[in-house]
Amino acid sequence: MEKLPIATLPESNSLATNSYARLHSLHRAWSPWYTSLRQALPTYIAIHIGFVVISCVSVLYSGPLMPIYALPFNTLWNSWKRWDAFHFISIASQGYARTPTETAYFPLYPLLARIGAFFTHSVFSSGLLISNISGLVMLVVLYR
């Protein structure tokens, strides 16, 4: 028994037709979002390059006077640990038990950071990852 090429199969094959129709409708639904992602990604990357440059310069001027090569690498990483980051790290790792003022923070971000810490082994790293991904999603939605 010889196998026929796919192109010679009759068009009445409903499984192939339904699969193609679903794939085509999925492509039509996601195509504008993919276009928005392609348009927003250069802005997102430019903003983050600016953040890294500003962080490097601020670490140089805020720390003790020493050459840049003498600073440990995690100095740049820890420069992002400011303001509310301490509260979110505390809530994600210990819950709302520390102080009553932490109840001012909504629980979704610390919950996602705690779940992400399972993969990154650091609440702070998973929080940065969640913030950056949500920032990209925000740019894509606003562009769309």
Side-chain angles (χ1 to χ4, degrees):
M1 186 163 139
E2 184 181 67
K3 291 186 178 180
L4 294 174
I6 294 176
T8 61
L9 289 175
E11 292 185 12
S12 64
N13 187 352
S14 64
L15 180 63
T17 307
N18 287 341
S19 297
Y20 178 75
R22 274 185 277 169
L23 185 64
H24 184 67
S25 66
L26 184 66
H27 175 69
R28 252 188 307 148
W30 285 102
S31 183
W33 290 102
Y34 179 70
T35 304
S36 299
L37 175 66
R38 280 194 343 228
Q39 295 296 322
L41 197 59
T43 304
Y44 175 80
I45 291 171
I47 288 170
H48 280 74
I49 288 172
F51 284 160
V52 169
V53 167
I54 290 171
S55 295
C56 289
V57 170
S58 67
V59 166
L60 287 176
Y61 289 108
S62 65
L65 294 174
M66 63 174 52
I68 184 71
Y69 58 84
L71 292 172
F73 181 72
N74 66 351
T75 304
L76 180 62
W77 189 256
N78 287 330
S79 70
W80 291 91
K81 202 181 278 187
R82 300 280 185 254
W83 300 298
D84 291 342
F86 294 110
H87 295 290
F88 284 117
I89 290 170
S90 171
I91 292 168
S93 58
Q94 301 167 1
Y96 284 100
R98 209 175 82 174
T99 61
T101 59
E102 289 178 346
T103 58
Y105 299 99
F106 292 111
L108 180 63
Y109 180 73
L111 178 67
L112 293 176
R114 187 173 186 139
I115 292 169
F118 178 74
F119 300 105
T120 62
H121 304 292
S122 168
V123 175
F124 178 63
S125 298
S126 67
L128 281 177
L129 188 64
I130 290 166
S131 296
N132 285 305
I133 290 171
S134 60
L136 179 61
V137 168
M138 178 220 36
L139 278 176
V140 169
V141 169
L142 286 177
Y143 184 85
R144 179 81 172 98

